Amino acid sequence: MEAPQPKRDRKPRNRLGGRTQSPAVPFPIAPQRAARHRTPRATSKETVMLTLLRTAVLVLPLVAVAACHKDGPAERAGESIDNAGQSVKDAIDPPGPAEKAGRAIDRAVN
């Protein structure tokens, strides 16, 4: 029988597969794992959602500013016609206390 071969002391490999230069280092010194990997890319669904969110953030303030305007002469004439129609309706069928309170709240809010 042959005598078993003695095990050779293998040098550790660096991250590129080559041998390390220093036999004193028992393992390769690699940078942090997070530094080597990129963050995962967004899927198409996430990209669409982000685009919609960004659009909404940009458009909603513009809509809010555009909604704040003074009443023009045509709008004031339309309101007076609506009030006249409401007055005729109230003459025929007088409103109760709850309806009067609701109208007061509507006038205060609008």
Side-chain angles (χ1 to χ4, degrees):
M1 250 174 122
E2 284 184 25
Q5 295 281 336
K7 290 187 179 180
R8 291 191 303 174
D9 189 24
R10 294 181 56 180
K11 288 186 178 181
R13 297 183 177 268
N14 64 15
R15 65 186 177 118
L16 298 177
R19 303 272 183 200
T20 58
Q21 297 297 321
S22 171
V25 178
F27 55 88
I29 299 173
Q32 290 293 328
R33 190 166 185 82
R36 292 190 324 194
H37 296 285
R38 290 186 174 172
T39 57
R41 296 192 62 159
T43 62
S44 62
K45 192 174 188 179
E46 290 170 340
T47 304
V48 169
M49 291 299 290
L50 285 173
T51 303
L52 288 174
L53 179 67
R54 290 176 184 146
T55 304
V57 166
L58 292 174
V59 170
L60 286 177
L62 296 175
V63 170
V65 170
C68 300
H69 66 280
K70 289 186 174 183
D71 294 343
E75 192 163 349
R76 285 193 300 262
E79 286 178 4
S80 65
I81 291 171
D82 290 342
N83 291 338
Q86 190 68 43
S87 298
V88 170
K89 181 183 168 206
D90 289 346
I92 296 171
D93 185 23
E99 191 171 352
K100 285 182 182 178
R103 287 183 188 170
I105 292 171
D106 286 341
R107 275 187 242 113
V109 172
N110 295 328

